[in-house]
Amino acid sequence: MRILIVEDEPTLGQQLKNTLEQNGYAVDLSTDGEDGHFLGSTEEYDAVVLDLGLPEIDGLTVLGMWRKEGRKFPVLVLTARDSWSDKVAGLDAGADDYLAKPFQTEELIARLRALIRRASGNASSELTAGDVRLDTRSGRVTRAGEPVKLTAQEYKLLSYLMHHKGKVVSRTELIEHIYDQDFDRDSNTIEVFVTRIRKKLGAEVITTIRGLGYSLDDPSEGARE
């Protein structure tokens, strides 16, 4: 999952970026409203953490611009203002949730997980496909109850496919959502990760839709390829 943080406090922004990356997210960081708006308008994100008190363009304006442009990713608003009117203004502008500073990073991560799950139509923190289970809280993956060890990139790819179970996901979409902006993106590595995941979880879990991409389905439904 790929996250955009728009936060003008350098220390807080970097801390959030580091923490989210440690929790398996690909993260881009912007420090002003103009650059943040550009990234949110031109790149693909699964969620955005948006501070309201930004230089250049304030957070509420940025949020309103994204929504007018049809950008539908969930947005978690950060604000140093704890008044009910600021919270209402953020929600009315198109925010999906908010946190008042100071906050615990654990709560922010939990709220992001919930926003991403809801955006992809998943209510539970545990995602399943047959006997494969992925716990978004702990990052633990099991098959038939046995733990399966995945690399960070394998986990990101599997998590994205499980969040979008039953849907065809192109290589381009996977690249946009599992790598951050500065990563050297190579579509050939996607096939490598898919092959490794199949070896660990079973070839029937991820199916290739020729010319379109990949789909993760319940193995009981049978492979498409």
Side-chain angles (χ1 to χ4, degrees):
M1 295 296 168
R2 188 177 176 197
I3 307 294
L4 171 63
I5 299 171
V6 190
E7 169 58 63
D8 67 320
E9 296 181 30
T11 301
L12 175 59
Q14 193 60 51
Q15 287 176 345
L16 291 176
K17 184 177 190 295
N18 293 342
T19 301
L20 288 171
E21 287 176 340
Q22 290 167 7
N23 280 267
Y25 296 96
V27 183
D28 293 330
L29 174 62
S30 176
T31 57
D32 67 71
E34 185 175 0
D35 180 62
H37 169 255
F38 175 77
L39 289 175
S41 299
T42 58
E43 299 285 337
E44 297 297 325
Y45 294 102
D46 297 288
V48 174
V49 178
L50 176 68
D51 183 39
L52 292 187
L54 296 171
E56 305 299 337
I57 307 175
D58 70 87
L60 283 177
T61 300
V62 170
L63 180 54
M65 292 165 68
W66 282 336
R67 294 315 191 211
K68 287 180 181 178
E69 294 162 358
R71 308 299 279 177
K72 298 179 180 180
F73 41 63
V75 175
L76 172 62
V77 162
L78 300 181
T79 176
R81 318 161 194 170
D82 199 22
S83 71
W84 66 267
S85 59
D86 289 322
K87 296 173 183 177
V88 169
L91 293 171
D92 283 347
D96 299 273
D97 201 356
Y98 65 85
L99 268 179
K101 299 177 182 177
F103 54 84
Q104 296 296 320
T105 54
E106 292 82 0
E107 181 180 3
L108 180 140
I109 293 170
R111 288 177 180 271
L112 279 178
R113 283 198 302 260
L115 288 177
I116 292 170
R117 288 198 312 269
R118 290 199 294 266
S120 59
N122 295 286
S124 173
S125 61
E126 186 175 75
L127 309 179
T128 63
D131 61 358
V132 176
R133 296 179 180 274
L134 185 151
D135 190 327
T136 60
R137 295 167 300 181
S138 65
R140 187 169 184 260
V141 177
T142 62
R143 183 186 183 197
E146 295 297 320
V148 178
K149 187 175 182 180
L150 300 178
T151 66
Q153 295 297 348
E154 290 167 1
Y155 177 85
K156 290 178 183 179
L157 191 149
L158 178 66
S159 176
Y160 191 82
L161 289 176
M162 292 192 75
H163 273 89
H164 299 84
K165 186 173 70 171
K167 300 177 182 177
V168 179
V169 180
S170 68
R171 285 191 183 188
T172 299
E173 183 175 346
L174 284 170
I175 290 169
E176 289 175 339
H177 286 268
I178 70 172
Y179 296 133
D180 61 41
Q181 184 186 27
D182 297 327
F183 197 91
D184 185 13
R185 304 173 181 182
D186 182 356
S187 63
N188 292 326
T189 61
I190 298 297
E191 181 61 38
V192 173
F193 296 144
V194 168
T195 299
R196 291 177 182 172
I197 293 171
R198 283 172 171 161
K199 288 180 180 178
K200 296 177 180 181
L201 299 178
E204 72 279 6
V205 175
I206 299 177
T207 59
T208 300
I209 314 302
R210 295 190 182 278
L212 296 176
Y214 302 97
S215 178
L216 188 145
D217 302 288
D218 192 313
S220 64
E221 298 175 1
R224 299 189 191 186
E225 185 179 22

